[in-house]
Amino acid sequence: MTDPTAEPFVHPALFYRGEEEYLRGTVPFVRDGLRAGEPVAVAVPGPNLAILRTALGGDAADVRFLDMTEVGRNPGRIIPKVLRAFADAHPRTRVRIIGEPIWAGRSSVEYPACVQHEALINPAFQGRDVTILCPYDAGRLPEQVLTDAYTTHPVVISGGKERGSSAYAPEQVIARYNEPLAHVATADELDFDADGLPGARQFAVERAARYGLSGVRLEDVALVVAELTTNSVVHGGGSGTVRVWTEGDRVVCEVRDRGRLSDPLAGRRPPSRDQLGGRGLLLVHCLADLVRIHTGPDGTTVRCYVGR
């Protein structure tokens, strides 16, 4: 494993095939951290969480365990609410985290946000005393996922051997997956401006209720749309368009405007206490099950998925 004292932030990918390789790559990582007095967190899918907890035996009591399929269902939530939350809770010491945000079963709709998350970890933790190990199931994930892992991680561990990645280029990955979102012709649509903000929220809530949302989930839609439409008026040219439709068991709410999102970490970086603004998109990431964002010369589209 890379010497964590060589540089402040260390971000290796671990390619594994089967349970034995998984444990061989993760158990020593955890125990080395505990021996060094480093707080350790493990955020991986439930089945891997169970086998790792068992393999650690008594050491498991000193580890923070999180089911990534729950806390990281929306990839945009992982940096602020999982990784940064743990690191920021231990500001005076190095921390060690295992984070597995991409697993077999992630949908093609979710994947672009997942790979952008992996790329954004690097600027989000630059200069921090943090080591984040990201396991990849090389036996089950598509080859493209593994190829992308070489571009988002400066170091890759495969077959027990560690090597630097000559393909490492996180900025290119962030740009490449800033892809236009396909237009959905069947969506309900409403244009809005400053005077139309209450109507835009009511429009989205009524459509979401018609599509089967109720209770807390309907309240989530109201908050998401209120934040996004207000942001459009304040920062996105003064107006925008809200659209609502369904995909499978999710209701999708989309807001488009003429603004340009210049910070790819917007909504994924907790704002400082004295910062003005910056909390709306973070709230959107916390409430939605998935957030997809495209920003370009003609404006920005934020697409939010909320499960029924």
Side-chain angles (χ1 to χ4, degrees):
M1 179 61 60
T2 301
D3 180 0
T5 64
E7 56 180 294
F9 176 57
V10 183
H11 184 210
L14 169 68
F15 289 0
Y16 69 92
R17 291 172 175 80
E19 182 176 318
E20 183 178 344
E21 281 195 10
Y22 187 79
L23 294 177
R24 193 162 58 236
T26 56
V27 171
F29 176 85
V30 171
R31 286 184 169 149
D32 287 349
L34 294 176
R35 279 194 292 269
E38 299 173 2
V40 179
V42 174
V44 301
N48 286 345
L49 202 69
I51 63 172
L52 184 50
R53 190 196 298 265
T54 299
L56 286 169
D59 288 331
D62 297 319
V63 177
R64 168 74 165 150
F65 290 97
L66 299 163
D67 188 339
M68 188 64 96
T69 63
E70 297 176 1
V71 299
R73 168 53 62 186
N74 175 6
R77 196 182 302 154
I78 299 173
I79 289 176
K81 292 300 182 179
V82 180
L83 306 181
R84 276 287 302 267
F86 186 74
D88 291 351
H90 306 279
R92 295 179 178 84
T93 185
R94 184 175 196 89
V95 302
R96 193 173 282 226
I97 304 170
I98 299 177
E100 189 171 0
I102 302 175
W103 57 85
R106 278 285 201 188
S107 70
S108 59
V109 175
E110 295 171 328
Y111 180 69
C114 292
V115 69
Q116 284 185 315
H117 155 76
E118 284 283 54
L120 288 166
I121 287 178
N122 300 286
F125 284 91
Q126 187 175 13
R128 294 288 300 267
D129 288 326
V130 178
T131 303
I132 300 176
L133 176 70
C134 299
Y136 283 77
D137 189 342
R140 300 177 63 199
L141 290 170
E143 189 63 31
Q144 183 60 52
V145 174
L146 305 182
T147 299
D148 285 338
Y150 277 100
T151 64
T152 56
H153 296 79
V155 174
V156 174
I157 304 165
S158 182
K161 297 180 179 180
E162 179 180 314
R163 60 181 63 85
S165 172
S166 60
Y168 179 62
E171 297 85 0
Q172 293 180 18
V173 171
I174 294 168
R176 174 155 49 93
Y177 282 96
N178 178 32
E179 54 192 21
L181 303 174
H183 179 74
V184 178
T186 57
D188 298 320
E189 181 175 306
L190 178 72
D191 295 329
F192 64 89
D193 56 16
D195 293 333
L197 287 177
R201 183 175 63 179
Q202 182 179 358
F203 166 83
V205 168
E206 288 178 350
R207 296 310 190 275
R210 182 186 303 172
Y211 291 138
L213 287 189
S214 61
V216 173
R217 298 265 66 186
L218 200 57
E219 294 173 7
D220 290 343
V221 167
L223 286 171
V224 163
V225 173
E227 291 292 342
L228 293 177
T229 53
T230 300
N231 191 65
S232 294
V233 168
V234 176
H235 303 291
S239 62
T241 302
V242 59
R243 309 178 78 241
V244 184
W245 68 94
T246 60
E247 289 185 16
D249 62 349
R250 290 170 168 175
V251 173
V252 187
C253 298
E254 175 184 282
V255 175
R256 293 180 291 154
D257 58 44
R258 297 191 300 277
R260 181 167 176 80
L261 193 63
S262 59
D263 180 7
L265 274 168
R268 302 182 191 234
R269 181 196 295 112
S272 60
R273 291 182 179 180
D274 57 350
Q275 178 179 330
L276 296 176
R279 292 171 174 80
L281 195 52
L282 175 60
L283 177 63
V284 169
H285 275 296
C286 291
L287 294 175
D289 297 325
L290 175 67
V291 178
R292 295 283 308 279
I293 300 173
H294 170 70
T295 188
D298 297 329
T300 295
T301 301
V302 181
R303 183 174 291 183
C304 301
Y305 298 73
V306 179
R308 288 183 279 189

